[in-house]
């Protein structure tokens, strides 16, 4: 039987079906290229609106704290005031959602935003859907925002953002520094960032600002995420928190004395710092002219602690004596003729020009004899000895403290007269931080401690850095430092440092007066006030815990007692605060107070609980309805605390002698609009004390800070 092979038709059927669909798709493509709509959808518009949505998730900048966890710099919400102008936002409804009465709106906002009604009306009359009410309406605080919200103005709204805030204002400003907003362009998009520009803010900018995240997804023409499409969500990594070694109580002591000295003597600059002798921790440091990082009233962008180099004067005699003592050639009871010495046809005089007759080298130290150390460079040590010693003590090189723009200074001298000048601190240059480090050699029996400003760094509660105590041991012998302690003690007891004595406290130290070199003339200034006065000291004598270094340039009365009036009260207050004064009754010591919330509390009871503080009660009510500072704030004896009471009528306080930050804090508390002219402390106010408070703006005039000549740094 014959079998006939049949052809299998399945592949050809499949092929024709496939070809049909390909043809159909081709016709669809041709249709799409000719006609814009497909199934009633404009495909070009659809493609344009179906895109990738991308948004930056901003990292929160880390907070800067003092050593006791009080915030010195932090991110807070700030707001931009906007006005909706288009009537379409309200539509046909009864409730207004745009600005209708522009005159009324401008009049209400003008005093709060510190803008004129005319300028606000110009903005409100623009042909726009919405406008920003700047500049006064940009970067406002939560408090100002609440004032505006309370007005219930239709069409007024707010855009929230973040800004850097410094709750203490002008406080350790050169240490903390500042950070400010900037607009940058990334991938053709404008983004707002906060960058550090001075102090810790710039030194640790990379870790403070954290790492931004982002979110990406496909969105439809209406801006909604397309279901079942991939999404990239990279969360932001917030910045690390930096804890400083600063003790805010000591910082306040330093700044209060410094501000008084600036007002009395109007110097070109002052710098003063306190260091823990055992750890190298900077406990307080302040300089003038200073600034408030919230308003950036800066006249000098260099930190005098680390970035001012100048000829230090007689405080360097400490290290000339240290060098000779350590070499073993020093003979303290040997005498020399004081008054003057001739080296290379140059006459070097003692500060009183006549000297004290034939005196011993030990006596010459406490009287700060230039002639004595000049003789020492000929008899006890030579040029190489002095240069090696000063280098070994840290001069002419950075301490590497965690602050930006630290300078090295210059320790160079060759000829005999230059060596003699270097021995009493002329012809060389140093920084304040180098002196603090070098003084630690004496405080620690020959071991030098590196200064610290950062206590620790944390991220999400985890400590990523903790300060270590860095020591350079055996810089000198204990025998050398013991002898220097005696010389420095004698200086305070009956030498040039008598003014630094504190009852029941053994202070040791050395005074200094340095001439100022004029680069324009190539010589030293000769005016009565043309000097830099300094003090290097520590206490208590036998086992120093605190080191202090201070300098003041060109005070208006030209006398060395200007630095005494600056430093002596600080020594006494810090010693009391640290419990170092013998026989001091506890009640006399400075105290810390951690404030709690006093809202709704009885005024008399609160005042009684805050004895030792400067409590300012506003109004004659019997209950507290608001307060400044807020609860959990740490304050020190003598600090101001404002209590707003439930009074029917409030009277304007006398703001004379208030600092800028104190005045602003009080006026914000009582909702009084203000205008401030100048810096420093209040010397006059436009609304007299005891006047009933209304919505009238008060104008405060503050004592202007002096101009700063950068050429002298």
């Amino acid at each position: 039987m014959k079998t006939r092979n049949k052809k299998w038709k399945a592949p050809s059927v499949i092929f024709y079906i496939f070809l049909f669909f390909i043809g159909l798709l081709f016709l669809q493509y041709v249709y799409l290229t000719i006609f814009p709509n497909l199934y009633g959808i404009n495909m070009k518009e659809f493609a344009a609106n179906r895109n990738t949505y991308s948004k930056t998730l901003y990292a929160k900048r880390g907070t800067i704290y003092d050593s006791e966890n009080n915030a010195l710099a932090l991110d807070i919400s700030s707001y931009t005031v906007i006005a909706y102008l288009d009537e379409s936002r309200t539509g046909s409804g009864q409730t207004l959602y745009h600005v209708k009465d522009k005159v009324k709106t401008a009049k209400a906002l003008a005093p709060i935003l510190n803008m004129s009604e005319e300028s606000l009306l110009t903005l409100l009359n623009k042909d726009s859907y919405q406008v920003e009410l700047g500049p006064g309406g940009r970067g406002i605080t939560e408090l100002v925002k609440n004032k505006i919200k309370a007005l219930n103005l239709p069409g007024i709204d707010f855009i929230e953002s973040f800004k850097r805030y410094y709750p203490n204002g002008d406080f350790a400003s050169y240490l903390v520094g500042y950070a400010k907003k900037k607009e940058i362009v990334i991938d053709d998009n404008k983004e707002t960032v906060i960058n550090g520009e001075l102090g810790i803010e710039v030194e640790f900018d990379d870790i403070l600002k954290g790492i931004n995240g982002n979110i990406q997804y496909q969105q439809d023409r209406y801006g909604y995420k397309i279901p079942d499409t991939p999404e990239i969500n990279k969360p932001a990594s917030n910045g690390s928190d930096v804890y400083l070694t600063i003790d805010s109580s000591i910082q306040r002591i330093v700044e209060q004395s410094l501000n008084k000295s600036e007002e009395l003597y109007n110097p070109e600059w002052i710098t003063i710092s306190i260091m823990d002798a055992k750890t190298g921790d900077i406990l307080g440091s302040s300089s003038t002219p200073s600034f408030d990082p919230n308003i950036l009233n800066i006249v000098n962008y260099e930190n005098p602690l680390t970035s001012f180099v100048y000829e230090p004067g007689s405080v360097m005699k400490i290290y000339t004596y240290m060098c000779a003592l350590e070499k073993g050639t020093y003979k303290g009871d040997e005498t020399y003729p004081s008054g003057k010495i001739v080296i290379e046809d140059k006459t070097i005089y003692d500060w009183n020009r006549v000297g004290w007759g034939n005196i011993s080298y030990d006596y010459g130290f406490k009287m700060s004899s230039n002639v004595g150390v000049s003789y020492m460079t000929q008899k006890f040590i030579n040029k190489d000895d002095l240069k090696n010693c000063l280098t070994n003590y840290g001069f002419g090189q950075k301490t590497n403290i965690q602050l930006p723009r630290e300078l090295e200074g210059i320790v160079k001298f060759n000829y005999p007269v230059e060596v003699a000048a270097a021995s009493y601190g002329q012809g060389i240059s140093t920084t304040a931080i180098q002196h603090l480090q070098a003084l630690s050699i004496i405080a620690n029996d020959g071991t030098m401690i590196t200064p610290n400003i950062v206590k620790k760094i944390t991220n999400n509660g985890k400590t990523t850095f903790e300060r270590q105590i860095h020591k350079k041991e055996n810089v000198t012998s204990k025998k050398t430092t013991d002898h220097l302690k005696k010389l420095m003690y004698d200086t305070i007891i009956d030498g040039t440092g008598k003014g630094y004595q504190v009852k029941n406290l053994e202070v040791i130290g050395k005074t200094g007066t340095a001439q100022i070199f004029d680069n324009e003339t190539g010589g030293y200034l000769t005016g009565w006030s043309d000097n830099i006065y300094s003090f290097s000291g520590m206490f208590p004598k036998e086992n120093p815990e605190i080191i202090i270094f201070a300098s003041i340039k060109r005070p208006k009365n030209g006398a060395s007692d200007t630095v005494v009036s600056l430093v002596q009260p600080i020594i006494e207050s810090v010693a009391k605060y640290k419990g170092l004064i013998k026989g001091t009754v506890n009640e006399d010591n400075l105290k810390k107070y951690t404030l709690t919330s006093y809202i709704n509390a009885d005024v008399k009871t609160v005042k009684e609980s805050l004895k030792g503080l400067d409590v300012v009660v506003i109004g004659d009510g019997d209950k507290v309805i608001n307060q400044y500072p807020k609860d959990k704030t740490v304050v020190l004896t003598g600090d101001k605390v404002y209590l707003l009471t439930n009074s029917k009528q409030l009277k304007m306080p006398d703001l004379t002698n208030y600092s800028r930050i104190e005045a602003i804090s009080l006026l914000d508390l009582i909702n009084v609009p203000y205008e401030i002219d100048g810096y420093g402390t209040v010397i006059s106010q436009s609304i007299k004390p005891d006047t009933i408070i209304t919505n009238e703006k008060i104008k405060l005039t503050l004592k202007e800070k002096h101009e700063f000549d950068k050429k002298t740094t």
Side-chain angles (χ1 to χ4, degrees), residues 412-459:
K412 292 181 180 179
F413 40 83
N414 292 301
Y415 302 105
V417 70
E418 292 177 333
V419 179
S423 72
Y424 56 83
Q426 298 283 177
I428 61 174
S429 61
T430 62
T431 63
I433 194 66
Q434 288 171 343
H435 285 274
L436 290 167
Q437 178 177 257
L439 288 167
S440 71
I441 301 169
I442 302 166
N444 294 288
D445 301 331
T447 295
M448 186 165 71
I449 308 294
T450 300
N452 296 297
I453 190 62
V454 176
K455 182 179 179 181
K456 66 177 180 178
I457 299 172
T458 65
N459 188 278

Side-chain angles (χ1 to χ4, degrees), residues 81 112-113 136 140-149 158 668 674:
V81 185
I112 299 177
L113 299 182
I140 66 170
T141 64
E142 186 85 30
L143 186 63
V144 176
K145 175 196 167 189
N146 290 337
K147 286 182 184 179
I148 296 172
K149 284 187 71 175
F158 308 90
D668 281 342
Y674 53 83

Side-chain angles (χ1 to χ4, degrees), residues 421-683:
S423 72
Y424 56 83
Q426 298 283 177
I428 61 174
S429 61
T430 62
T431 63
I433 194 66
Q434 288 171 343
H435 285 274
L436 290 167
Q437 178 177 257
L439 288 167
S440 71
I441 301 169
I442 302 166
N444 294 288
D445 301 331
T447 295
M448 186 165 71
I449 308 294
T450 300
N452 296 297
I453 190 62
V454 176
K455 182 179 179 181
K456 66 177 180 178
I457 299 172
T458 65
N459 188 278
N460 291 324
K462 181 180 178 182
T463 300
T464 58
F465 167 84
E466 195 160 5
R467 79 104 170 89
Q468 303 296 317
I469 300 174
H470 296 287
K471 301 179 179 180
K472 182 180 178 181
E473 298 182 346
N474 302 317
V475 177
T476 68
S477 66
K478 186 176 184 299
K479 181 180 178 181
T480 292
T481 58
D482 283 346
H483 196 119
L484 273 171
K485 284 178 183 177
K486 181 181 183 306
L487 294 178
M488 294 170 74
Y489 181 68
D490 291 343
T491 299
I492 302 298
I493 294 301
D494 60 357
T496 58
K498 287 181 181 179
Y500 296 93
Q501 293 180 16
V502 174
K503 186 178 180 181
N504 295 323
L505 179 70
E506 290 183 328
V507 179
I508 65 175
K510 179 74 188 75
T511 59
T513 302
Q515 291 180 287
I516 301 169
F517 189 78
D518 185 354
N519 290 317
E520 293 182 2
T521 65
Y524 287 95
L525 299 176
T526 57
W528 174 247
S529 65
D530 292 331
N531 294 300
I532 296 175
Y533 300 101
S534 301
F535 178 74
S536 293
M538 61 192 77
F539 55 90
K541 174 194 170 190
E542 294 306 323
N543 187 24
E545 294 186 27
I546 300 294
I547 295 173
I548 185 168
F549 181 80
S551 290
I552 183 169
K553 183 176 184 180
R554 302 177 81 177
K556 69 181 180 183
N557 70 353
S560 60
D561 60 0
T562 56
V563 73
V564 175
S565 66
L566 166 69
V567 173
Q568 196 274 348
I570 293 175
I571 294 175
E572 184 170 6
S573 295
V574 171
K576 284 181 177 180
Y577 171 70
K578 301 289 284 185
L580 299 175
I581 294 183
K582 298 174 182 177
T584 301
V585 181
N586 288 336
E587 285 76 12
D588 293 335
N589 288 345
L590 294 174
K591 295 180 180 178
K592 295 179 187 177
Y593 300 78
T594 301
L595 301 181
T596 59
S597 175
Y598 306 112
I599 308 301
N600 296 323
D602 180 74
V603 174
K604 290 183 179 179
T605 303
V606 174
K607 283 189 68 177
E608 186 68 25
S609 70
L610 296 178
K611 273 188 176 179
L613 295 173
D614 184 2
V615 180
V616 179
V617 178
I618 306 162
D620 56 4
D622 59 351
K623 297 291 183 183
V624 178
I625 61 172
N626 209 346
Q627 69 181 77
Y628 181 86
K630 299 298 183 183
D631 62 318
K632 299 181 181 178
T633 302
V634 177
V635 294
L636 187 66
T637 299
D639 283 352
K640 281 185 170 62
V641 175
Y642 306 108
L643 303 177
L644 181 62
T645 68
N646 58 338
S647 178
K648 292 182 179 179
Q649 285 187 326
L650 297 178
K651 295 182 179 181
M652 180 62 65
D654 184 355
L655 301 175
T656 306
N657 294 323
Y658 274 45
S659 70
R660 184 185 183 95
I661 191 67
E662 289 173 339
I664 289 174
S665 300
L666 189 149
L667 293 172
D668 281 342
L669 188 68
I670 57 180
N671 290 324
V672 172
Y674 53 83
E675 179 181 333
I676 297 179
D677 181 22
Y679 305 103
T681 57
V682 179
I683 59 172

